[in-house]
Amino acid sequence: MKHIPWTPWLRRAAAATLLALASLPASAATVRAACSGIGQELELCRSAAEAWSRKTGHSVELVAVPSDGSARLAWLQKALAARSDKVDVLQLDVVQIGTLREHLLDLKPYSQGAEKAHFAGMVANGTVNGQLLAMPWFIDAGVLYYRRDLLEKHRQDLPKTWEALKQVAQHIQSAERTAGNAQMWGYVWQGRAYEGLTCDAMEWLSSFGAGTLVDETGKATIGGPLAVQAIATAASWVGTISPPEVLGFGEEEARQAFQSGNAVFMRNWPYAWALAQAADSPIKDKVGIAILPKGSGDAARHAATLGGQQLSVSKYSRNPAVAADLVLHLTSAAVQKERAVKAAYNPTINDLYRDPEVKASNPYLGALMRSFFATVARPSSATGVKYNAVSAAFSTTVHEALGGRIRPEDAVTRLEATLKELQGGGW
Ligand code: GLC
């Protein structure tokens, strides 16, 4: 072995290492966590994980994964199929548990009943055959953001139907353009062919009473003139009240357009609230949140897609107990409260909705709660491992209709046939 000169620098470094080692638990582990990066997610995940590291002496490495939910799922599927130990803790969308269930660890032996404080529906979503495969982290519902100042300035009422939204959006868009803002658009949303468009389009269908593709009993429900009307309504926005680029928008692109001050309305998840209210936001104190509009006809209703994220541990983790401990820390009341107050991620713990600081952080909690009561679930439980194929077929077909490449009636006919084919002998 080569002789290493024992320099004062090395002596200091060695002493520091020994000190660090002294504060570590007997067997310190490194846990690799794959968190999503929409809005402030990554930053929040990092700071909460670092707090856990300081407390436990274990370290956390954040694995870089795509922030687009569909791309993240593909990444995780590949890693898990290879039984890779490159990721221990996984952030999963509520619709992904079924698809990945064979790779997820049962958290029951570690949770000591912690799940009992969370919304029962979220816990049920993460439970498969009695095994707790995911702990709830935050709950989402689609909401309508609007520019309070612009509605007031142009004396327009908050729209309760899609028809009214189009009129108000059109009116304010033209008036603002005439007044000099050539960039102004009426409505931005998620139009790229991915899971986000599935969420938006599910809201359109439900708001006209056209179901949610597949019902809880496994029956395909899309069809008929209501679905055609819903898709045609959204297609009529592209290039009129929505920029043509909306067909490439995810959550963040829509938020950037809205937050720059160039849109009257936006469909997004609650997280966009905290960013719209940030000190450097051009629309700070100019924004309101409301329930999404209804369709038209007898079956019309308000509909908000139920979303949210959960945390799981991979079965191939080399440190399952340590990884489970990190999951329990990240999903704890203290961390959920901090995420709610700082960044508008909605807790899955019932009691936190009575917390004064959580209530004060979002003056639109009432509109949000109305949206939670109007939620529609995507058919991930009914379609199980086939959900991803169902959702991909839905979003790509709707995307073609939005782009005018097929007629809305042909999109519905094609979707009916695809659903039948995918269902085959059963879900
Ligand atoms: C949000 C929701 C999730 C949804 C996704 C779509 O992350 O929590 O449920 O699937 O957006 O992009």
Side-chain angles (χ1 to χ4, degrees):
M1 208 173 112
K2 235 173 116 194
H3 175 73
I4 302 172
W6 195 237
T7 62
W9 175 84
L10 254 181
R11 212 172 290 135
R12 270 202 305 278
T17 310
L18 282 177
L19 244 173
L21 285 175
S23 62
L24 291 182
S27 55
T30 297
V31 176
R32 298 186 179 92
C35 294
S36 152
I38 296 182
Q40 307 184 65
E41 280 189 298
L42 207 56
E43 224 175 286
L44 289 167
C45 181
R46 175 174 295 119
S47 64
E50 279 169 359
W52 174 83
S53 280
R54 286 193 294 275
K55 200 174 77 182
T56 61
H58 298 296
S59 47
V60 182
E61 237 173 68
L62 292 190
V63 185
V65 286
S67 60
D68 174 314
S70 305
R72 183 155 43 99
L73 176 64
W75 190 96
L76 290 172
Q77 271 175 315
K78 205 168 148 211
L80 293 170
R83 298 175 166 254
S84 160
D85 62 358
K86 298 225 158 47
V87 53
D88 303 282
V89 169
L90 305 88
Q91 174 176 341
L92 296 181
D93 193 323
V94 285
V95 291
Q96 295 171 344
I97 314 287
T99 309
L100 296 178
R101 62 186 173 209
E102 62 178 296
H103 304 291
L104 308 177
L105 189 78
D106 182 10
L107 297 170
K108 275 247 173 77
Y110 307 99
S111 72
Q112 294 175 332
E115 66 277 11
K116 294 199 183 94
H118 296 252
F119 291 139
M122 284 291 271
V123 178
N125 190 69
T127 306
V128 179
N129 298 331
Q131 297 198 329
L132 182 64
L133 301 185
M135 276 296 285
W137 202 16
F138 62 91
I139 184 165
D140 264 341
V143 288
L144 181 73
Y145 287 81
Y146 60 94
R147 284 284 301 277
R148 219 157 21 87
D149 59 327
L150 292 180
L151 256 61
E152 266 163 38
K153 176 174 162 197
H154 297 283
R155 295 169 208 257
Q156 298 292 308
D157 291 332
L158 186 61
K160 303 254 180 335
T161 62
W162 292 117
E163 214 180 327
L165 178 132
K166 191 168 178 190
Q167 276 167 15
V168 175
Q170 190 95 62
H171 177 86
I172 300 181
Q173 177 183 299
S174 328
E176 286 291 307
R177 285 190 187 179
T178 309
N181 183 0
Q183 311 294 322
M184 186 56 100
W185 285 99
Y187 187 36
V188 291
W189 36 280
Q190 292 73 45
R192 193 165 72 221
Y194 79 120
E195 189 62 32
L197 175 55
T198 290
C199 297
D200 288 38
M202 195 71 76
E203 283 156 357
W204 308 332
L205 291 187
S206 293
S207 72
F208 279 85
T212 55
L213 297 184
V214 178
D215 72 13
E216 313 83 71
T217 66
K219 199 169 124 250
T221 59
I222 186 167
L226 292 177
V228 176
Q229 223 184 322
I231 296 174
T233 297
S236 83
W237 302 332
V238 182
T240 56
I241 58 167
S242 305
E245 299 77 44
V246 81
L247 297 182
F249 278 10
E251 284 82 6
E252 282 294 84
E253 289 82 5
R255 183 180 69 77
Q256 277 145 16
F258 185 71
Q259 198 163 322
S260 67
N262 293 328
V264 186
F265 296 107
M266 168 175 73
R267 184 271 178 209
N268 217 323
W269 307 104
Y271 83 93
W273 167 255
L275 294 161
Q277 282 300 96
D280 61 350
S281 162
I283 54 168
K284 183 171 168 22
D285 297 329
K286 295 178 178 164
V287 177
I289 296 182
I291 193 161
L292 284 163
K294 286 186 190 181
S296 37
D298 294 343
R301 54 163 289 190
H302 292 287
T305 295
L306 174 67
Q309 306 276 323
Q310 309 194 265
L311 289 176
S312 300
V313 172
S314 157
K315 260 190 189 165
Y316 320 116
S317 168
R318 280 199 240 158
N319 300 294
V322 182
D325 191 60
L326 174 60
V327 165
L328 291 166
H329 171 78
L330 293 176
T331 55
S332 67
V335 174
Q336 288 207 4
K337 175 172 171 176
E338 196 183 348
R339 292 170 56 90
V341 171
K342 276 197 190 151
Y345 287 98
N346 288 285
T348 56
I349 295 179
N350 303 324
D351 286 354
L352 286 176
Y353 286 86
R354 283 190 288 276
D355 183 285
E357 279 172 78
V358 171
K359 279 169 135 176
S361 67
N362 189 335
Y364 289 97
L365 211 57
L368 209 58
M369 294 313 269
R370 282 186 69 209
S371 302
F372 282 139
F373 286 124
T375 47
V376 289
R378 285 161 281 173
S380 56
S381 304
T383 58
V385 285
K386 294 187 187 170
Y387 172 74
N388 209 31
V390 168
S391 173
F394 182 49
S395 65
T396 49
T397 308
V398 169
H399 189 259
E400 282 190 46
L402 294 173
R405 291 197 300 284
I406 54 170
R407 296 182 314 154
E409 36 282 59
D410 297 334
V412 171
T413 312
R414 191 202 286 181
L415 275 168
E416 277 169 340
T418 313
L419 283 179
K420 220 177 250 158
E421 204 179 297
L422 283 170
Q423 182 171 14
W427 293 114

Short mmCIF file of all heavy atoms in Angstrom, two decimals, residues 64-117:
data_model
loop_
_atom_site.label_atom_id
_atom_site.label_comp_id
_atom_site.label_asym_id
_atom_site.label_seq_id
_atom_site.Cartn_x
_atom_site.Cartn_y
_atom_site.Cartn_z
N ALA A 64 -33.30 10.50 -9.38
CA ALA A 64 -33.92 11.37 -10.40
C ALA A 64 -34.88 10.55 -11.26
O ALA A 64 -34.47 9.59 -11.92
CB ALA A 64 -32.84 11.99 -11.27
N VAL A 65 -36.16 10.88 -11.19
CA VAL A 65 -37.17 10.18 -12.01
C VAL A 65 -37.97 11.22 -12.80
O VAL A 65 -38.05 12.38 -12.38
CB VAL A 65 -38.14 9.34 -11.13
CG1 VAL A 65 -37.47 8.10 -10.61
CG2 VAL A 65 -38.70 10.16 -9.98
N PRO A 66 -38.59 10.82 -13.90
CA PRO A 66 -39.38 11.80 -14.67
C PRO A 66 -40.54 12.34 -13.83
O PRO A 66 -41.10 11.61 -13.01
CB PRO A 66 -39.94 10.97 -15.83
CG PRO A 66 -39.14 9.72 -15.89
CD PRO A 66 -38.59 9.49 -14.53
N SER A 67 -40.88 13.64 -14.01
CA SER A 67 -41.97 14.18 -13.18
C SER A 67 -43.33 13.92 -13.81
O SER A 67 -44.34 13.89 -13.12
CB SER A 67 -41.78 15.68 -12.93
OG SER A 67 -41.75 16.36 -14.16
N ASP A 68 -43.39 13.68 -15.12
CA ASP A 68 -44.63 13.29 -15.78
C ASP A 68 -45.03 11.90 -15.23
O ASP A 68 -44.25 10.95 -15.26
CB ASP A 68 -44.34 13.23 -17.28
CG ASP A 68 -45.50 12.69 -18.10
OD1 ASP A 68 -46.09 11.68 -17.71
OD2 ASP A 68 -45.81 13.31 -19.13
N GLY A 69 -46.25 11.81 -14.68
CA GLY A 69 -46.69 10.59 -14.01
C GLY A 69 -46.59 9.35 -14.88
O GLY A 69 -46.16 8.28 -14.43
N SER A 70 -46.96 9.46 -16.17
CA SER A 70 -46.94 8.29 -17.04
C SER A 70 -45.50 7.84 -17.29
O SER A 70 -45.19 6.65 -17.27
CB SER A 70 -47.62 8.60 -18.38
OG SER A 70 -48.92 9.08 -18.16
N ALA A 71 -44.60 8.82 -17.49
CA ALA A 71 -43.19 8.48 -17.74
C ALA A 71 -42.56 7.91 -16.46
O ALA A 71 -41.73 6.99 -16.52
CB ALA A 71 -42.44 9.73 -18.19
N ARG A 72 -42.97 8.43 -15.29
CA ARG A 72 -42.42 7.93 -14.03
C ARG A 72 -42.83 6.47 -13.82
O ARG A 72 -42.04 5.63 -13.40
CB ARG A 72 -42.91 8.81 -12.86
CG ARG A 72 -42.34 8.42 -11.51
CD ARG A 72 -42.34 9.60 -10.55
NE ARG A 72 -43.57 10.38 -10.61
CZ ARG A 72 -44.57 10.26 -9.76
NH1 ARG A 72 -44.49 9.42 -8.77
NH2 ARG A 72 -45.65 11.01 -9.87
N LEU A 73 -44.08 6.16 -14.17
CA LEU A 73 -44.55 4.78 -14.02
C LEU A 73 -43.71 3.85 -14.89
O LEU A 73 -43.28 2.78 -14.43
CB LEU A 73 -46.03 4.68 -14.41
CG LEU A 73 -46.60 3.27 -14.39
CD1 LEU A 73 -46.57 2.69 -12.97
CD2 LEU A 73 -48.04 3.23 -14.93
N ALA A 74 -43.44 4.26 -16.15
CA ALA A 74 -42.65 3.41 -17.05
C ALA A 74 -41.25 3.18 -16.46
O ALA A 74 -40.73 2.06 -16.47
CB ALA A 74 -42.56 4.07 -18.42
N TRP A 75 -40.68 4.24 -15.90
CA TRP A 75 -39.34 4.16 -15.27
C TRP A 75 -39.37 3.15 -14.11
O TRP A 75 -38.51 2.28 -14.00
CB TRP A 75 -38.94 5.54 -14.77
CG TRP A 75 -37.52 5.67 -14.31
CD1 TRP A 75 -36.47 6.13 -15.04
CD2 TRP A 75 -37.00 5.32 -13.02
NE1 TRP A 75 -35.33 6.11 -14.29
CE2 TRP A 75 -35.61 5.61 -13.04
CE3 TRP A 75 -37.54 4.78 -11.85
CZ2 TRP A 75 -34.78 5.40 -11.94
CZ3 TRP A 75 -36.71 4.56 -10.76
CH2 TRP A 75 -35.35 4.87 -10.81
N LEU A 76 -40.39 3.27 -13.26
CA LEU A 76 -40.48 2.41 -12.08
C LEU A 76 -40.73 0.95 -12.49
O LEU A 76 -40.17 0.02 -11.92
CB LEU A 76 -41.61 2.88 -11.16
CG LEU A 76 -41.36 4.20 -10.43
CD1 LEU A 76 -42.61 4.67 -9.71
CD2 LEU A 76 -40.19 4.07 -9.43
N GLN A 77 -41.59 0.78 -13.51
CA GLN A 77 -41.89 -0.58 -13.97
C GLN A 77 -40.62 -1.29 -14.42
O GLN A 77 -40.41 -2.45 -14.10
CB GLN A 77 -42.88 -0.54 -15.14
CG GLN A 77 -44.33 -0.56 -14.65
CD GLN A 77 -45.32 -0.41 -15.79
OE1 GLN A 77 -45.15 0.44 -16.66
NE2 GLN A 77 -46.35 -1.22 -15.79
N LYS A 78 -39.76 -0.54 -15.12
CA LYS A 78 -38.52 -1.12 -15.63
C LYS A 78 -37.61 -1.50 -14.46
O LYS A 78 -37.09 -2.61 -14.40
CB LYS A 78 -37.84 -0.09 -16.54
CG LYS A 78 -36.94 -0.73 -17.54
CD LYS A 78 -36.51 0.28 -18.60
CE LYS A 78 -35.11 -0.08 -19.06
NZ LYS A 78 -34.34 1.07 -19.47
N ALA A 79 -37.45 -0.57 -13.52
CA ALA A 79 -36.55 -0.83 -12.38
C ALA A 79 -37.06 -2.01 -11.55
O ALA A 79 -36.29 -2.88 -11.14
CB ALA A 79 -36.44 0.43 -11.52
N LEU A 80 -38.37 -2.05 -11.32
CA LEU A 80 -38.92 -3.09 -10.46
C LEU A 80 -38.93 -4.45 -11.16
O LEU A 80 -38.70 -5.49 -10.52
CB LEU A 80 -40.32 -2.72 -9.98
CG LEU A 80 -40.37 -1.50 -9.04
CD1 LEU A 80 -41.79 -1.03 -8.81
CD2 LEU A 80 -39.68 -1.80 -7.70
N ALA A 81 -39.18 -4.44 -12.47
CA ALA A 81 -39.18 -5.71 -13.20
C ALA A 81 -37.78 -6.34 -13.13
O ALA A 81 -37.63 -7.56 -13.10
CB ALA A 81 -39.59 -5.49 -14.65
N ALA A 82 -36.75 -5.49 -13.06
CA ALA A 82 -35.37 -5.99 -12.97
C ALA A 82 -34.99 -6.27 -11.51
O ALA A 82 -33.84 -6.58 -11.22
CB ALA A 82 -34.43 -4.97 -13.58
N ARG A 83 -35.96 -6.15 -10.59
CA ARG A 83 -35.73 -6.35 -9.14
C ARG A 83 -34.55 -5.52 -8.65
O ARG A 83 -33.74 -5.94 -7.81
CB ARG A 83 -35.47 -7.83 -8.83
CG ARG A 83 -36.65 -8.67 -9.19
CD ARG A 83 -36.41 -10.13 -9.01
NE ARG A 83 -37.70 -10.82 -9.06
CZ ARG A 83 -38.31 -11.31 -7.99
NH1 ARG A 83 -37.76 -11.24 -6.81
NH2 ARG A 83 -39.48 -11.89 -8.11
N SER A 84 -34.46 -4.31 -9.22
CA SER A 84 -33.34 -3.44 -8.89
C SER A 84 -33.45 -2.93 -7.45
O SER A 84 -34.54 -2.65 -6.96
CB SER A 84 -33.36 -2.25 -9.87
OG SER A 84 -32.63 -1.19 -9.34
N ASP A 85 -32.29 -2.80 -6.78
CA ASP A 85 -32.32 -2.23 -5.44
C ASP A 85 -31.91 -0.76 -5.50
O ASP A 85 -31.54 -0.15 -4.51
CB ASP A 85 -31.42 -3.02 -4.48
CG ASP A 85 -29.97 -2.98 -4.91
OD1 ASP A 85 -29.68 -2.36 -5.97
OD2 ASP A 85 -29.12 -3.54 -4.21
N LYS A 86 -32.04 -0.16 -6.71
CA LYS A 86 -31.67 1.25 -6.89
C LYS A 86 -32.71 2.20 -6.33
O LYS A 86 -32.50 3.40 -6.25
CB LYS A 86 -31.46 1.56 -8.37
CG LYS A 86 -30.35 0.77 -9.00
CD LYS A 86 -29.46 1.64 -9.87
CE LYS A 86 -28.10 1.06 -10.08
NZ LYS A 86 -28.10 -0.37 -10.45
N VAL A 87 -33.87 1.66 -5.98
CA VAL A 87 -34.89 2.51 -5.39
C VAL A 87 -35.58 1.74 -4.26
O VAL A 87 -35.95 0.59 -4.42
CB VAL A 87 -35.87 3.03 -6.47
CG1 VAL A 87 -36.45 1.93 -7.31
CG2 VAL A 87 -36.98 3.87 -5.88
N ASP A 88 -35.67 2.41 -3.08
CA ASP A 88 -36.29 1.77 -1.91
C ASP A 88 -37.69 2.31 -1.68
O ASP A 88 -38.62 1.57 -1.41
CB ASP A 88 -35.45 2.04 -0.65
CG ASP A 88 -34.02 1.56 -0.80
OD1 ASP A 88 -33.80 0.35 -0.68
OD2 ASP A 88 -33.13 2.40 -1.07
N VAL A 89 -37.80 3.66 -1.72
CA VAL A 89 -39.08 4.31 -1.43
C VAL A 89 -39.63 4.91 -2.73
O VAL A 89 -38.91 5.58 -3.46
CB VAL A 89 -38.89 5.42 -0.36
CG1 VAL A 89 -40.13 6.29 -0.23
CG2 VAL A 89 -38.54 4.78 0.98
N LEU A 90 -40.90 4.62 -3.00
CA LEU A 90 -41.49 5.07 -4.26
C LEU A 90 -42.71 5.94 -4.01
O LEU A 90 -43.58 5.58 -3.22
CB LEU A 90 -42.00 3.87 -5.08
CG LEU A 90 -41.07 2.74 -5.42
CD1 LEU A 90 -41.10 1.71 -4.31
CD2 LEU A 90 -41.52 2.08 -6.69
N GLN A 91 -42.75 7.07 -4.71
CA GLN A 91 -43.96 7.89 -4.70
C GLN A 91 -44.86 7.39 -5.82
O GLN A 91 -44.47 7.38 -6.99
CB GLN A 91 -43.62 9.36 -4.94
CG GLN A 91 -44.87 10.22 -5.07
CD GLN A 91 -44.57 11.70 -5.21
OE1 GLN A 91 -43.48 12.16 -4.88
NE2 GLN A 91 -45.53 12.45 -5.71
N LEU A 92 -46.06 6.95 -5.46
CA LEU A 92 -46.96 6.39 -6.48
C LEU A 92 -48.27 7.16 -6.53
O LEU A 92 -48.85 7.51 -5.50
CB LEU A 92 -47.26 4.92 -6.17
CG LEU A 92 -46.08 3.96 -6.22
CD1 LEU A 92 -46.56 2.55 -5.92
CD2 LEU A 92 -45.40 4.00 -7.58
N ASP A 93 -48.73 7.37 -7.75
CA ASP A 93 -50.02 7.97 -7.98
C ASP A 93 -51.11 6.99 -7.48
O ASP A 93 -50.91 5.77 -7.55
CB ASP A 93 -50.13 8.16 -9.51
CG ASP A 93 -51.27 9.03 -9.92
OD1 ASP A 93 -52.33 8.96 -9.29
OD2 ASP A 93 -51.09 9.79 -10.90
N VAL A 94 -52.23 7.52 -7.05
CA VAL A 94 -53.31 6.63 -6.55
C VAL A 94 -53.75 5.59 -7.58
O VAL A 94 -54.25 4.54 -7.20
CB VAL A 94 -54.56 7.42 -6.09
CG1 VAL A 94 -54.34 8.09 -4.77
CG2 VAL A 94 -55.00 8.44 -7.14
N VAL A 95 -53.53 5.88 -8.88
CA VAL A 95 -53.97 4.91 -9.88
C VAL A 95 -52.89 3.88 -10.24
O VAL A 95 -53.10 3.04 -11.10
CB VAL A 95 -54.42 5.62 -11.19
CG1 VAL A 95 -55.72 6.38 -10.96
CG2 VAL A 95 -53.33 6.54 -11.74
N GLN A 96 -51.74 3.95 -9.57
CA GLN A 96 -50.64 3.07 -9.97
C GLN A 96 -50.42 1.85 -9.06
O GLN A 96 -49.64 0.97 -9.38
CB GLN A 96 -49.33 3.87 -10.05
CG GLN A 96 -49.38 4.91 -11.16
CD GLN A 96 -48.20 5.86 -11.13
OE1 GLN A 96 -47.49 5.95 -10.13
NE2 GLN A 96 -48.01 6.59 -12.22
N ILE A 97 -51.12 1.85 -7.92
CA ILE A 97 -50.86 0.78 -6.94
C ILE A 97 -51.18 -0.60 -7.55
O ILE A 97 -50.40 -1.54 -7.41
CB ILE A 97 -51.71 0.98 -5.65
CG1 ILE A 97 -51.65 2.42 -5.16
CG2 ILE A 97 -51.32 -0.03 -4.56
CD1 ILE A 97 -50.39 2.88 -4.54
N GLY A 98 -52.33 -0.68 -8.25
CA GLY A 98 -52.75 -1.96 -8.84
C GLY A 98 -51.70 -2.48 -9.81
O GLY A 98 -51.34 -3.67 -9.79
N THR A 99 -51.17 -1.60 -10.64
CA THR A 99 -50.21 -2.01 -11.66
C THR A 99 -48.91 -2.54 -11.04
O THR A 99 -48.33 -3.49 -11.54
CB THR A 99 -49.87 -0.79 -12.56
OG1 THR A 99 -51.10 -0.22 -13.01
CG2 THR A 99 -49.02 -1.17 -13.74
N LEU A 100 -48.49 -1.92 -9.93
CA LEU A 100 -47.18 -2.29 -9.37
C LEU A 100 -47.27 -3.22 -8.16
O LEU A 100 -46.26 -3.53 -7.53
CB LEU A 100 -46.41 -1.01 -8.98
CG LEU A 100 -46.05 -0.07 -10.15
CD1 LEU A 100 -45.33 1.16 -9.63
CD2 LEU A 100 -45.17 -0.79 -11.17
N ARG A 101 -48.51 -3.66 -7.84
CA ARG A 101 -48.70 -4.33 -6.53
C ARG A 101 -47.77 -5.50 -6.26
O ARG A 101 -47.36 -5.71 -5.13
CB ARG A 101 -50.15 -4.77 -6.39
CG ARG A 101 -50.60 -5.78 -7.42
CD ARG A 101 -52.07 -6.05 -7.28
NE ARG A 101 -52.51 -6.88 -8.38
CZ ARG A 101 -53.72 -6.85 -8.88
NH1 ARG A 101 -54.63 -6.05 -8.37
NH2 ARG A 101 -54.05 -7.65 -9.86
N GLU A 102 -47.40 -6.26 -7.29
CA GLU A 102 -46.56 -7.45 -7.01
C GLU A 102 -45.15 -7.08 -6.54
O GLU A 102 -44.42 -7.92 -6.04
CB GLU A 102 -46.48 -8.36 -8.23
CG GLU A 102 -45.84 -7.66 -9.41
CD GLU A 102 -45.71 -8.54 -10.64
OE1 GLU A 102 -44.97 -9.53 -10.57
OE2 GLU A 102 -46.32 -8.20 -11.67
N HIS A 103 -44.79 -5.79 -6.70
CA HIS A 103 -43.42 -5.38 -6.32
C HIS A 103 -43.37 -4.62 -4.99
O HIS A 103 -42.32 -4.14 -4.60
CB HIS A 103 -42.84 -4.46 -7.40
CG HIS A 103 -42.85 -5.07 -8.77
ND1 HIS A 103 -42.05 -6.13 -9.10
CD2 HIS A 103 -43.58 -4.77 -9.88
CE1 HIS A 103 -42.27 -6.46 -10.38
NE2 HIS A 103 -43.19 -5.65 -10.87
N LEU A 104 -44.54 -4.47 -4.35
CA LEU A 104 -44.57 -3.59 -3.17
C LEU A 104 -44.64 -4.37 -1.86
O LEU A 104 -45.31 -5.39 -1.76
CB LEU A 104 -45.77 -2.63 -3.28
CG LEU A 104 -45.87 -1.84 -4.59
CD1 LEU A 104 -47.13 -0.99 -4.61
CD2 LEU A 104 -44.62 -0.98 -4.80
N LEU A 105 -43.95 -3.81 -0.88
CA LEU A 105 -43.84 -4.46 0.43
C LEU A 105 -45.08 -4.17 1.28
O LEU A 105 -45.62 -3.06 1.25
CB LEU A 105 -42.61 -3.85 1.12
CG LEU A 105 -42.16 -4.50 2.42
CD1 LEU A 105 -41.40 -5.78 2.10
CD2 LEU A 105 -41.24 -3.53 3.18
N ASP A 106 -45.52 -5.15 2.07
CA ASP A 106 -46.61 -4.92 3.01
C ASP A 106 -46.08 -4.06 4.17
O ASP A 106 -45.14 -4.46 4.87
CB ASP A 106 -47.13 -6.26 3.54
CG ASP A 106 -48.31 -6.08 4.50
OD1 ASP A 106 -48.83 -4.95 4.61
OD2 ASP A 106 -48.70 -7.09 5.14
N LEU A 107 -46.69 -2.88 4.36
CA LEU A 107 -46.19 -1.97 5.40
C LEU A 107 -46.83 -2.22 6.76
O LEU A 107 -46.42 -1.62 7.76
CB LEU A 107 -46.43 -0.51 4.96
CG LEU A 107 -45.68 -0.09 3.70
CD1 LEU A 107 -46.16 1.27 3.21
CD2 LEU A 107 -44.17 -0.04 3.96
N LYS A 108 -47.84 -3.11 6.81
CA LYS A 108 -48.55 -3.36 8.08
C LYS A 108 -47.61 -3.71 9.24
O LYS A 108 -47.77 -3.17 10.33
CB LYS A 108 -49.58 -4.48 7.88
CG LYS A 108 -50.91 -4.02 7.34
CD LYS A 108 -52.03 -4.19 8.39
CE LYS A 108 -53.32 -3.57 7.90
NZ LYS A 108 -54.00 -4.44 6.90
N PRO A 109 -46.63 -4.58 9.02
CA PRO A 109 -45.75 -4.93 10.14
C PRO A 109 -44.96 -3.75 10.69
O PRO A 109 -44.39 -3.83 11.77
CB PRO A 109 -44.80 -5.97 9.54
CG PRO A 109 -45.46 -6.46 8.30
CD PRO A 109 -46.33 -5.36 7.81
N TYR A 110 -44.89 -2.65 9.95
CA TYR A 110 -44.09 -1.50 10.39
C TYR A 110 -44.95 -0.32 10.85
O TYR A 110 -44.49 0.54 11.58
CB TYR A 110 -43.20 -1.00 9.24
CG TYR A 110 -42.35 -2.08 8.63
CD1 TYR A 110 -42.73 -2.70 7.43
CD2 TYR A 110 -41.17 -2.50 9.24
CE1 TYR A 110 -41.95 -3.71 6.88
CE2 TYR A 110 -40.39 -3.50 8.68
CZ TYR A 110 -40.80 -4.10 7.51
OH TYR A 110 -40.03 -5.09 6.96
N SER A 111 -46.20 -0.26 10.37
CA SER A 111 -46.97 0.98 10.54
C SER A 111 -47.54 1.18 11.94
O SER A 111 -47.88 2.29 12.32
CB SER A 111 -48.12 1.03 9.53
OG SER A 111 -49.11 0.09 9.89
N GLN A 112 -47.68 0.12 12.70
CA GLN A 112 -48.28 0.18 14.04
C GLN A 112 -49.61 0.94 14.03
O GLN A 112 -49.88 1.76 14.90
CB GLN A 112 -47.33 0.82 15.04
CG GLN A 112 -46.12 -0.03 15.24
CD GLN A 112 -45.08 0.61 16.13
OE1 GLN A 112 -44.99 1.83 16.21
NE2 GLN A 112 -44.32 -0.20 16.82
N GLY A 113 -50.40 0.72 12.99
CA GLY A 113 -51.74 1.31 12.93
C GLY A 113 -51.77 2.77 12.53
O GLY A 113 -52.83 3.39 12.56
N ALA A 114 -50.63 3.34 12.12
CA ALA A 114 -50.60 4.77 11.76
C ALA A 114 -51.63 5.09 10.67
O ALA A 114 -52.15 6.20 10.61
CB ALA A 114 -49.20 5.15 11.28
N GLU A 115 -51.93 4.11 9.81
CA GLU A 115 -52.86 4.37 8.69
C GLU A 115 -54.27 4.71 9.18
O GLU A 115 -55.05 5.32 8.44
CB GLU A 115 -52.89 3.17 7.72
CG GLU A 115 -53.47 1.87 8.25
CD GLU A 115 -52.45 1.05 9.05
OE1 GLU A 115 -51.36 1.58 9.37
OE2 GLU A 115 -52.76 -0.11 9.37
N LYS A 116 -54.59 4.36 10.44
CA LYS A 116 -55.96 4.59 10.93
C LYS A 116 -56.32 6.08 11.00
O LYS A 116 -57.49 6.43 11.00
CB LYS A 116 -56.14 3.96 12.30
CG LYS A 116 -56.05 2.45 12.25
CD LYS A 116 -56.66 1.76 13.45
CE LYS A 116 -56.46 0.26 13.34
NZ LYS A 116 -55.26 -0.20 14.05
N ALA A 117 -55.31 6.95 11.05
CA ALA A 117 -55.60 8.39 11.13
C ALA A 117 -55.90 8.99 9.76
O ALA A 117 -56.29 10.14 9.65
CB ALA A 117 -54.40 9.11 11.75
#
